Amino acid sequence: MTRCPAVANIESEDFRIMTDIEIAKTVKMSPIAEVAAVLGIETEDLELYGKYKAKVPLVYKTRQARFDNPKLILVSAISPTPAGEGKTTVSIGLSQALNRIGRQATVVLREPSLGPVFGIKGGATGGGYSQVLPMEDINLHFTGDFAAIEKAHNLLAALIDNNIQSKSRSLNLDPRTISWKRVMDMNDRSLRNVVVGLGGTTSGVPRETGFDITAASEVMAILCLSDNIEDLKRRLGNIFIGYTFDKKPIYARDLKAHGAMAALLKDAIKPNLVQTIDGTPAFVHGGPFANIAQGTNTVIATKTSLALSEYTVTEAGFGFDLGAEKFLDIKCRVAGLTPQAVVLVATVRALKYHGGKQLKELKDPDIEALKKGIVNLQKHIENIKVFNLEPVVAVNKFTSDSQEELDYICSRCREMGVPVSIADVWAQGGAGAVELAEIIVEKATAHSSRFKPLYELEDSVERKIETISRKIYGAEAVDYTAKAKSALKRIRDLGLENLAICMAKTQKSLSDNPELLGRPKDFVITVREIEIAAGAGFLIPITGDIMRMPGLPEEPASERIDIDDDGNIHGLF
């Protein structure tokens, strides 16, 4: 398979000005059949989407594992900052490095949402010489999974309004109680609250509703947590819609919606196989956000990789307090998974930001700001240990990092008894994470800790929320608005207290206030409402000002994205 060229001088002017998409275009990709062959997947089993993308049948998930004791490696990060931490880049680089040292590794990632691609990120497929390819396709429409999820979700919305309008088949739904909104895969704050059904009696019954982003759809969560088609249909049928006028709860199965919804997802449920910049196999499947959803790729993709690979490297969205906590408390519990090692990604720049340094000043060496901000790293290390797991810190290197700053982080990690490695994966690909890979192999092979979820499902909803808030965020207490207290009663009345918890919280802080950086203390988490995702199997306490439909920034990334007459896309990074 094609390997990326060695980077002889990462300080050269030519190298520094190359964007991610420019680097990606220098690589000759391997035909996807060759990538599949590395995993033992037969060519005739692939469902091809061109030369470099394919879907893999579900049967491979249940195949006898090709390796004894396959290892699952979780990659997470400190609290995100505008400077970027590069968690996906490190995940890709680690998988490349594991292959480089003779271990058969696959990276399993989420699909990017068009919202952040056109909003802030401008792309989400790694960076430099640790990318998944073809990056333009993956960042845009890919294999159509998001579109299928959107259609399945909105089919249910249409069936709900059709039933309200019906005279002969009405379920007597009370429009005021309907919690199911519509979705689209774009940041559009104007659609958060809308009125539908205007235009007279033939255009439906007027009611208030709104839009969420597709990545926050319960259908997305269900797809990511389903084990097979049967499980998918069961979960879709369990979607809670609202109440009748006589207070009877109504679910999607009551509308006979789940079969048709599952039919729309018949291809989306199959994992997508692509490759990294050096030909390492990569599954990219599912794309829930971690600040407003569960933030992990599909159970099916992860299990498929475990069946076919010696090492499966996967990432969970945003910081450990969000994506990784949900990976462990929701996904691992549902799928029966146990990670053998956890990588915590940090950067000098992000830690200085948490120490009070301004964004435009982060390239300037400042050991004092670093010393103030390293408490954020320390708290996330403590959080990993709460789950009886052992962390490994990967410092994602930037050219602006001073040696003194790198040495300080390493020394503090060693003081905490945590292995640490400097990862230079953007510039060098897998070669920049060989030491990290060797540490991971040692940790995963000697794995003896007993992973334990943070709470029991039988705990009360309040206790589960408080456990997460106190132990992971460091909160002093939890406060509930009147609306949230009403939701708690509704959850008890529906008999849904045993569901897991999927906190919707800002990713910018351990607290629910994005302005509180570092390691905030003596704060109160405020739960303003709680949404029910019975099909996904969790409850969503919504804290602070978090929105399930984001807005675009003042200067959206879409302004830099373009296509030329030859069909070449520019501006993705």
Side-chain angles (χ1 to χ4, degrees), residues 187-257:
N187 290 4
D188 193 345
R189 61 173 60 84
S190 299
L191 295 177
R192 287 174 186 160
N193 299 286
V194 302
V195 176
V196 297
L198 299 178
T201 57
T202 61
S203 297
V205 176
R207 67 182 183 91
E208 291 185 48
T209 180
F211 278 76
D212 292 334
I213 193 165
T214 305
S217 166
E218 186 179 351
V219 177
M220 173 69 81
I222 287 171
L223 182 83
C224 289
L225 293 172
S226 295
D227 198 57
N228 49 49
I229 292 287
E230 181 182 2
D231 189 30
L232 175 71
K233 287 195 289 187
R234 178 186 64 82
R235 288 175 177 275
L236 290 171
N238 286 341
I239 293 172
F240 174 70
I241 294 169
Y243 293 93
T244 64
F245 280 103
D246 53 1
K247 307 304 180 185
K248 175 187 174 184
I250 297 295
Y251 298 87
R253 58 180 177 267
D254 297 317
L255 285 167
K256 299 181 175 60

Side-chain angles (χ1 to χ4, degrees), residues 48-324:
L48 298 175
Y49 285 68
K51 298 178 182 179
Y52 307 115
K53 310 184 295 288
K55 281 192 170 287
V56 176
L58 300 185
V59 66
Y60 279 93
K61 175 180 71 70
T62 57
R63 291 278 177 93
Q64 177 68 36
R66 296 174 67 227
F67 296 88
D68 294 333
N69 302 314
K71 307 293 192 298
L72 177 62
I73 312 301
L74 172 62
V75 179
S76 188
I78 62 171
S79 299
T81 70
E85 288 63 58
K87 180 173 70 275
T88 302
T89 304
V90 171
S91 299
I92 296 165
L94 174 57
S95 68
Q96 294 171 317
L98 286 165
N99 280 311
R100 184 176 280 265
I101 64 173
R103 306 287 178 165
Q104 198 282 299
T106 299
V107 64
V108 186
L109 304 169
R110 293 172 298 157
E111 301 177 46
S113 162
L114 290 178
V117 168
F118 290 132
I120 297 176
K121 288 187 175 183
T125 52
Y129 285 88
S130 290
Q131 298 185 54
V132 283
L133 304 176
M135 68 96 77
E136 303 104 305
D137 294 0
I138 296 170
N139 275 311
L140 298 179
H141 297 294
F142 200 21
T143 58
D145 293 346
F146 268 68
I149 290 163
E150 185 176 295
K151 297 301 184 293
H153 183 114
N154 291 337
L155 170 62
L156 178 55
L159 290 171
I160 291 168
D161 282 306
N162 185 62
N163 190 267
I164 295 172
Q165 175 82 353
S166 173
K167 291 183 174 63
S168 61
R169 306 189 66 204
S170 172
L171 293 173
N172 199 32
L173 264 169
D174 183 348
R176 299 167 300 180
T177 69
I178 294 171
S179 56
W180 194 254
K181 297 181 179 181
R182 287 166 169 80
V183 297
M184 66 178 293
D185 188 30
M186 195 62 61
N187 290 4
D188 193 345
R189 61 173 60 84
S190 299
L191 295 177
R192 287 174 186 160
N193 299 286
V194 302
V195 176
V196 297
L198 299 178
T201 57
T202 61
S203 297
V205 176
R207 67 182 183 91
E208 291 185 48
T209 180
F211 278 76
D212 292 334
I213 193 165
T214 305
S217 166
E218 186 179 351
V219 177
M220 173 69 81
I222 287 171
L223 182 83
C224 289
L225 293 172
S226 295
D227 198 57
N228 49 49
I229 292 287
E230 181 182 2
D231 189 30
L232 175 71
K233 287 195 289 187
R234 178 186 64 82
R235 288 175 177 275
L236 290 171
N238 286 341
I239 293 172
F240 174 70
I241 294 169
Y243 293 93
T244 64
F245 280 103
D246 53 1
K247 307 304 180 185
K248 175 187 174 184
I250 297 295
Y251 298 87
R253 58 180 177 267
D254 297 317
L255 285 167
K256 299 181 175 60
H258 51 306
M261 293 171 71
L264 285 170
L265 299 170
K266 71 179 183 66
D267 293 318
I269 196 173
K270 300 170 187 174
N272 306 300
L273 179 65
V274 288
Q275 62 192 285
T276 73
I277 208 165
D278 71 346
T280 292
F283 286 109
V284 180
H285 196 211
F289 292 161
N291 59 343
I292 50 180
Q294 82 270 26
T296 68
N297 57 72
T298 66
V299 166
I300 288 173
T302 303
K303 284 189 172 181
T304 301
S305 179
L306 286 168
L308 302 176
S309 312
E310 184 182 9
Y311 281 79
T312 292
V313 179
T314 189
E315 56 96 24
F318 291 127
F320 187 89
D321 58 314
L322 288 170

Side-chain angles (χ1 to χ4, degrees), residues 299-366:
V299 166
I300 288 173
T302 303
K303 284 189 172 181
T304 301
S305 179
L306 286 168
L308 302 176
S309 312
E310 184 182 9
Y311 281 79
T312 292
V313 179
T314 189
E315 56 96 24
F318 291 127
F320 187 89
D321 58 314
L322 288 170
E325 182 271 317
K326 295 166 184 175
F327 179 94
L328 296 168
D329 279 326
I330 298 175
K331 180 174 180 175
C332 286
R333 198 191 310 255
V334 166
L337 300 173
T338 297
Q340 278 70 49
V342 180
V343 177
L344 187 65
V345 179
T347 66
V348 169
R349 303 193 313 172
L351 291 173
K352 287 192 291 189
Y353 187 85
H354 279 290
K357 196 81 169 173
Q358 296 298 308
L359 183 62
K360 61 184 179 181
E361 302 172 338
L362 293 180
K363 291 184 179 180
D364 303 330
D366 190 334

